[in-house]
């Protein structure tokens, strides 16, 4: 894994876009899966928490491809401290709406 770090003065956090780019790259390096998008992110006391969507299995048609949603944790410097897959789904399938509508 790359030792690249985003160094900022004490107490300052790196720019958000740099954190997102670095998280996608680190996750790809660890899993071998390319991140397609970041579907959510938030700053935490310890750093950042992101949900990243990746293509796990390409199929034809593309709407049948298997996607994975990964929860990714980063420290204040933007270094990945942990990840886990929280969901697996077909690209063309929407989440059920609350209340069954």
């Amino acid at each position: 894994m790359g030792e690249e770090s985003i160094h900022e003065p004490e107490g300052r956090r790196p720019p958000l876009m740099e954190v997102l780019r670095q998280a996608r790259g680190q996750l790809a390096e660890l899993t071998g899966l390319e991140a397609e998008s970041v579907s959510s992110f938030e700053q935490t006391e310890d750093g950042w928490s992101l949900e990243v969507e990746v293509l796990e299995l390409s199929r034809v048609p593309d709407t049948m491809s298997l996607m994975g949603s990964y929860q990714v944790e980063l420290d204040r410097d933007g270094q990945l401290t942990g990840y886990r897959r929280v969901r697996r789904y077909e690209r063309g399938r929407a989440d059920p709406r609350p209340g069954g509508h």
Side-chain angles (χ1 to χ4, degrees):
M1 185 164 75
E3 293 299 319
E4 236 176 85
S5 179
I6 307 168
H7 296 289
E8 290 291 323
E10 191 68 33
R12 286 196 49 206
R13 291 185 182 213
L16 174 62
M17 293 310 294
E18 186 61 31
V19 169
L20 297 179
R21 274 190 290 277
Q22 192 161 343
R24 290 171 58 138
Q26 290 178 73
L27 184 64
E29 193 170 341
L30 286 171
T31 64
L33 303 170
E34 289 297 319
E36 290 201 353
S37 65
V38 175
S39 56
S40 70
F41 69 90
E42 67 178 294
Q43 285 185 319
T44 64
E45 286 185 20
D46 299 324
W48 304 86
S49 178
L50 296 85
E51 193 159 322
V52 179
E53 308 303 315
V54 301
L55 175 64
E56 292 196 335
L57 181 61
S58 183
R59 291 188 175 158
V60 176
D62 191 48
T63 55
M64 296 302 292
S65 292
L66 286 179
M67 303 294 294
S69 186
Y70 285 76
Q71 185 71 37
V72 178
E73 304 298 327
L74 304 156
D75 65 16
R76 289 178 159 268
D77 292 327
Q79 294 297 304
L80 192 140
T81 59
Y83 73 92
R84 65 185 170 95
R85 184 173 63 199
V86 294
R87 183 170 162 247
R88 197 169 196 206
Y89 60 96
E90 291 176 342
R91 183 190 297 272
R93 188 159 308 217
D95 285 336
R97 295 173 73 185
H101 299 117

